[in-house]
Amino acid sequence: MANKAIASVLSFEKKLVVSDGYMYGTCWDDEHKSKAEPLKIVEKSVRGTISNRLTPATQNNPAKLNAEVEKPNLQQVDSCALGMEQDTLKLVFSIKVLNGVEKPSACNNAAFAQSYAEAAKGYMEKTGFKELAYRYAYNIASGRFLWRNRLGAEQLEVCVKADDWEQKFSGYDYSLRDFSEHKELEALAEKIAAVLAGKEAYLFIEVEAYAKLGMGQEVYPSEELVFDKGNSRKSKILYQVNGVAAMHSQKLGNALRTIDTWYPSFGSAEGAGPIAIEPYGAVTTLGKAFRNPKEKVDFYTLFDKFALGEPLASAEEEHFVMAVLVRGGVFGKG
């Protein structure tokens, strides 16, 4: 066992490589694809009101309260919307699926690398990556990657192409709360599984999603992180590529790997539905980690056992471990 100690240098390349998503405006009744125009980011200058929580002294003093309310909350923000002749958002991106999850991209312990490779190949032979591939296919077909743009859409369609194969999905046929069985997803899932299981070298997937939002409605590209807010004249900066509104590849990838329903509190009042695959089950918007190391359900606890050939308690734990490795990352010490 000493020779199989956990590697201090260990990393895996991601196996789902997602491009940025480009946003266009079009019309639902015009067969979606014709006359699609790139959406632009525009600046707005707005005068807001004070809405933050006030100190008790201000709350209890009407004069101070009125003085606070009168202060102008001036902001410059980015905004993006469909044109008044457009009612549909078109989002275009691509996904490259790669094999080789059984091989770390960096590992400084040969015995550990061999032990892990044997465990990973055993998983691949036993499951064929069918469960994970189905969930990735489900998230593509459901349009989960649209995030806020998915909410309130009158209609939702996702067109998927891979080599000479293509298929259309109605996004609202798929709940975002589970991964129920849909036979029409089998073809796409099989293609993804074949690559992850090492039967094919790679798969290139093109995705076009259409969300009917209404004439001139606002759309939501990714928001840029402003590091130095003191020197920034805008309080909200939206992402764009060569003048075209866009969504970060990281945000699209996060949606595709939102497949973790195996954490302990899933389905309970404390749960959050499916969450993105993360070593500690972190959901930053909730400020919570759903896979606490104290409960022995975090990635590192499970991976150390799995990689050294020890059996895990359930197939779900194996799915989670392999999903984290498909996600990729640096998993060494320090």
Side-chain angles (χ1 to χ4, degrees):
M1 183 67 72
N3 292 331
K4 292 184 180 180
I6 301 302
S8 59
V9 176
L10 182 66
S11 64
F12 290 82
E13 295 177 350
K14 57 185 174 183
K15 303 307 177 186
L16 294 180
V17 185
V18 185
S19 74
D20 283 338
Y22 293 78
M23 306 179 85
Y24 303 85
T26 185
C27 291
W28 187 269
D29 295 331
D30 198 17
E31 295 186 356
H32 316 335
K33 297 180 181 178
S34 63
K35 299 181 181 178
E37 298 179 355
L39 293 179
K40 305 295 184 182
I41 304 296
V42 297
E43 280 190 14
K44 287 183 179 181
S45 297
V46 297
R47 185 182 191 278
T49 59
I50 299 298
S51 58
N52 57 285
R53 191 183 296 273
L54 301 174
T55 64
T58 302
Q59 292 178 19
N60 298 327
N61 188 320
K64 288 185 177 181
L65 177 59
N66 290 337
E68 286 293 321
V69 170
E70 288 177 0
K71 290 180 180 178
N73 184 17
L74 304 178
Q75 302 177 47
Q76 280 188 313
V77 298
D78 279 346
S79 179
C80 186
L82 299 171
M84 290 310 297
E85 73 286 355
Q86 301 166 338
D87 65 0
T88 299
L89 166 66
K90 175 183 178 181
L91 178 69
V92 180
F93 67 99
S94 64
I95 308 165
K96 184 181 287 186
V97 186
L98 302 173
N99 65 13
V101 71
E102 74 279 9
K103 300 176 183 178
S105 58
C107 181
N108 65 346
N109 187 316
F112 172 81
Q114 181 179 354
S115 175
Y116 161 72
E118 292 174 356
K121 289 177 181 178
Y123 174 87
M124 294 161 66
E125 293 173 359
K126 181 171 62 175
T127 70
F129 264 103
K130 291 181 180 179
E131 180 63 26
L132 298 190
Y134 180 82
R135 295 189 176 212
Y136 297 137
Y138 190 105
N139 282 340
I140 295 172
S142 69
R144 187 189 292 272
F145 50 81
L146 286 165
W147 292 97
R148 191 176 177 183
N149 298 294
R150 191 183 189 275
L151 301 177
E154 183 180 338
Q155 298 185 67
L156 180 63
E157 183 178 274
V158 180
C159 304
V160 183
K161 297 180 182 178
D163 299 325
D164 57 352
W165 172 91
E166 61 180 284
Q167 190 170 349
K168 293 183 179 180
F169 303 94
S170 178
Y172 283 145
D173 289 346
Y174 309 94
S175 168
L176 299 186
R177 303 297 297 178
D178 57 37
F179 295 94
S180 54
E181 184 176 352
H182 293 267
K183 289 188 177 182
E184 68 274 13
L185 294 177
E186 291 179 358
L188 178 57
E190 287 174 0
K191 290 180 177 295
I192 297 173
V195 177
L196 294 177
K199 298 177 181 178
E200 300 289 343
Y202 69 92
L203 176 68
F204 187 75
I205 302 172
E206 299 175 61
V207 182
E208 292 183 357
Y210 299 89
K212 186 177 181 182
L213 303 174
M215 294 292 185
Q217 284 294 302
E218 186 173 7
V219 300
Y220 304 98
S222 292
E223 186 172 345
E224 295 282 60
L225 179 62
V226 180
F227 288 98
D228 189 358
K229 294 185 179 181
N231 294 328
S232 177
R233 62 186 179 86
K234 286 195 290 189
S235 59
K236 182 169 74 171
I237 300 175
L238 298 180
Y239 185 51
Q240 55 183 314
V241 180
N242 296 325
V244 181
M247 296 185 72
H248 290 150
S249 59
Q250 290 85 350
K251 189 165 187 176
L252 299 176
N254 182 282
L256 295 186
R257 57 186 172 83
T258 299
I259 63 172
D260 188 0
T261 59
W262 309 301
Y263 62 95
S265 61
F266 175 76
S268 68
E270 292 77 25
I275 63 174
I277 292 294
E278 294 288 346
Y280 298 109
V283 180
T284 55
T285 54
L286 299 178
K288 185 172 182 178
F290 288 92
R291 289 182 170 274
N292 194 312
K294 291 183 178 180
E295 299 174 2
K296 306 297 184 182
V297 291
D298 65 295
F299 167 74
Y300 291 99
T301 299
L302 300 176
F303 176 70
D304 290 354
K305 293 180 180 179
F306 175 82
L308 296 178
E310 299 180 28
L312 298 183
S314 65
E316 287 75 13
E317 291 185 346
E318 293 184 357
H319 293 328
F320 169 69
V321 168
M322 294 306 294
V324 174
L325 300 179
V326 169
R327 163 193 177 271
V330 179
F331 305 112
K333 297 179 180 179

